[in-house]
Amino acid sequence: MLKELYPGFNFKTFLAELVATLIFVLVGLGSTLSWSGAMPTVLQIGFTFGLGIGTMVQTMGHISGAHINPAVTVALLVGARISLVQTFYYVIAQMLGAVLGAALLYEFAPPEVIGGFGVNQPSNNTSSGQALAVEIILTMQLVLCIFATTDNRRTDNIGSPAISIGLSVVLGHLLGIYYTGCSMNPARSFGPALITGNFNYHWIFWAGPITGAIFACLIYDYVFVPHSISPSERLEILRGNIMQENEKEERRKQSVGLNSLYSQSNNREKM
């Protein structure tokens, strides 16, 4: 029904983005709670957010691509890797997942440990301009890492994208926590802000990450590793036409691969 009303909509990928963002925000914000005798540390918070992203990328990457971040989704749209419809419903899924994750944690956490609830705000006398610049730079390094580790044109051994992306999130937190609490993700900021009703300086955590993500896309696609694509192909991808054909081809390859493995196992049994 939804596919007929909204061509290009895929409920499975929508649900994957929602669940991944829910889990990421819940565990990430959970690391900021001020338990008696066990105050959170920068390393604890940084590695919790990093491990959360890495785990969700490994878990949901083959289903939805595991964006888990509106800034990443916008960067992929600018880079003509996803369609406008996919961008729209991914961002909705991420926002909904973030709100649900924050709401669940807020409901289950004792009131005395909630504190600031991980709401992103400038701190340590950081000005709005400085906070914006920090978010731009930190998100730029994250999205550059994502583009580089998921580039199917690479032939070298890139290792595990999930681990690399997770460590990139940790890296951002080791610096960013002192300036802004480190967002790099508008959904991560929106969830706790909505639940607590604290939207002070909230615009920074949309403008900064999205700007940094777009910069990363332009730098990677036009300077480091030019992405050759014609305007007509770009338009078809944005409309969702080429993407749908690519998904069909990917499923066909997976089917061929599974059939091949099945045939090989049968041949071994016969021998």
Side-chain angles (χ1 to χ4, degrees):
M1 180 68 176
L2 285 172
K3 278 195 171 184
E4 294 175 1
L5 293 174
Y6 305 102
F9 178 82
N10 185 317
F11 180 73
K12 184 166 67 173
T13 58
F14 176 89
L15 185 62
E17 284 296 306
L18 188 155
V19 171
T21 311
L22 185 157
I23 294 173
F24 167 67
V25 170
L26 191 153
V27 299
L29 293 180
S31 70
T32 71
L33 299 180
S34 304
W35 296 95
S36 177
M39 295 297 290
T41 66
V42 172
L43 282 176
Q44 174 190 338
I45 297 171
F47 272 95
T48 303
F49 276 102
L51 290 171
I53 280 289
T55 301
M56 289 301 100
V57 168
Q58 186 69 26
T59 305
M60 303 294 188
H62 65 297
I63 300 173
S64 67
H67 298 188
I68 319 175
N69 185 338
V72 172
T73 301
V74 169
L76 293 172
L77 173 68
V78 173
R81 289 166 171 80
I82 58 174
S83 69
L84 283 167
V85 170
Q86 189 178 7
T87 300
F88 175 76
Y89 77 76
Y90 266 39
V91 172
I92 295 298
Q94 293 154 4
M95 301 295 289
L96 183 58
V99 171
L100 290 174
L104 286 172
L105 180 66
Y106 196 85
E107 178 66 23
F108 297 142
E112 63 271 16
V113 306
I114 288 176
F117 202 54
V119 174
N120 292 116
Q121 289 189 30
S123 57
N124 296 313
N125 297 318
T126 301
S127 68
S128 296
Q130 290 170 333
L132 181 65
V134 167
E135 286 295 324
I136 289 173
I137 294 170
L138 295 183
T139 310
M140 188 168 66
Q141 65 84 23
L142 170 61
V143 176
L144 280 173
C145 178
I146 292 171
F147 272 52
T149 56
T150 60
D151 190 344
N152 57 17
R153 295 168 293 175
R154 291 183 63 168
T155 57
D156 57 322
N157 183 6
I158 61 172
S160 168
I163 293 176
S164 298
I165 294 168
L167 289 176
S168 180
V169 171
V170 174
L171 175 64
H173 279 79
L174 293 180
L175 171 68
I177 281 180
Y178 297 106
Y179 290 92
T180 63
C182 191
S183 171
M184 303 188 291
N185 184 334
R188 172 261 180 269
S189 297
F190 181 75
L194 181 66
I195 296 304
T196 61
N198 185 356
F199 285 95
N200 293 332
Y201 303 100
H202 187 67
W203 66 271
I204 293 173
F205 305 104
W206 281 89
I210 290 176
T211 302
I214 292 174
F215 281 167
C217 171
L218 297 177
I219 292 170
Y220 191 83
D221 278 356
Y222 292 95
V223 179
F224 293 155
V225 188
H227 190 54
S228 58
I229 181 172
S230 68
S232 59
E233 288 177 319
R234 184 179 293 272
L235 183 59
E236 289 302 302
I237 291 171
L238 295 179
R239 288 176 175 172
N241 297 332
I242 292 180
M243 186 63 71
Q244 290 171 12
E245 291 303 315
N246 286 345
E247 288 175 354
K248 291 178 184 177
E249 176 64 15
E250 191 61 33
R251 284 197 293 268
R252 187 192 69 79
K253 288 180 179 177
Q254 290 174 356
S255 176
V256 170
L258 289 173
N259 289 334
S260 176
L261 289 172
Y262 179 73
S263 299
Q264 289 176 17
S265 63
N266 279 346
N267 290 337
R268 290 195 192 100
E269 289 175 2
K270 291 177 181 178
M271 292 174 64

Short mmCIF file of all heavy atoms in Angstrom, two decimals, residues 34-35 109-115:
data_model
loop_
_atom_site.label_atom_id
_atom_site.label_comp_id
_atom_site.label_asym_id
_atom_site.label_seq_id
_atom_site.Cartn_x
_atom_site.Cartn_y
_atom_site.Cartn_z
N SER A 34 24.38 10.50 35.28
CA SER A 34 25.27 10.76 36.42
C SER A 34 24.92 9.85 37.59
O SER A 34 24.28 10.26 38.57
CB SER A 34 25.16 12.23 36.84
OG SER A 34 25.45 13.09 35.76
N TRP A 35 25.37 8.61 37.50
CA TRP A 35 25.12 7.66 38.58
C TRP A 35 25.97 8.00 39.80
O TRP A 35 27.11 8.44 39.68
CB TRP A 35 25.43 6.25 38.12
CG TRP A 35 24.53 5.77 37.02
CD1 TRP A 35 24.77 5.82 35.69
CD2 TRP A 35 23.22 5.22 37.17
NE1 TRP A 35 23.70 5.32 34.99
CE2 TRP A 35 22.74 4.94 35.87
CE3 TRP A 35 22.42 4.91 38.27
CZ2 TRP A 35 21.48 4.38 35.64
CZ3 TRP A 35 21.17 4.35 38.05
CH2 TRP A 35 20.71 4.09 36.74
N ALA A 109 15.18 5.79 33.49
CA ALA A 109 16.28 6.28 34.32
C ALA A 109 15.75 6.96 35.58
O ALA A 109 14.77 7.71 35.52
CB ALA A 109 17.14 7.26 33.53
N PRO A 110 16.38 6.73 36.74
CA PRO A 110 15.97 7.43 37.96
C PRO A 110 16.14 8.94 37.78
O PRO A 110 17.13 9.39 37.19
CB PRO A 110 16.94 6.89 39.01
CG PRO A 110 17.44 5.60 38.45
CD PRO A 110 17.47 5.78 36.97
N PRO A 111 15.21 9.74 38.25
CA PRO A 111 15.28 11.20 38.06
C PRO A 111 16.58 11.82 38.55
O PRO A 111 17.08 12.79 37.96
CB PRO A 111 14.08 11.72 38.87
CG PRO A 111 13.14 10.57 38.92
CD PRO A 111 13.98 9.34 38.98
N GLU A 112 17.15 11.25 39.62
CA GLU A 112 18.35 11.87 40.20
C GLU A 112 19.60 11.69 39.35
O GLU A 112 20.62 12.33 39.62
CB GLU A 112 18.59 11.32 41.61
CG GLU A 112 18.89 9.83 41.69
CD GLU A 112 17.64 8.98 41.84
OE1 GLU A 112 16.53 9.51 41.58
OE2 GLU A 112 17.76 7.80 42.23
N VAL A 113 19.58 10.80 38.33
CA VAL A 113 20.79 10.59 37.53
C VAL A 113 20.68 11.22 36.14
O VAL A 113 21.64 11.20 35.37
CB VAL A 113 21.10 9.07 37.36
CG1 VAL A 113 21.18 8.40 38.72
CG2 VAL A 113 20.09 8.39 36.46
N ILE A 114 19.52 11.80 35.83
CA ILE A 114 19.31 12.32 34.48
C ILE A 114 20.21 13.51 34.17
O ILE A 114 20.81 13.60 33.09
CB ILE A 114 17.82 12.68 34.27
CG1 ILE A 114 17.00 11.39 34.18
CG2 ILE A 114 17.63 13.51 33.01
CD1 ILE A 114 15.51 11.60 34.07
N GLY A 115 20.31 14.44 35.08
CA GLY A 115 21.17 15.60 34.86
C GLY A 115 20.77 16.37 33.61
O GLY A 115 19.59 16.66 33.38
#
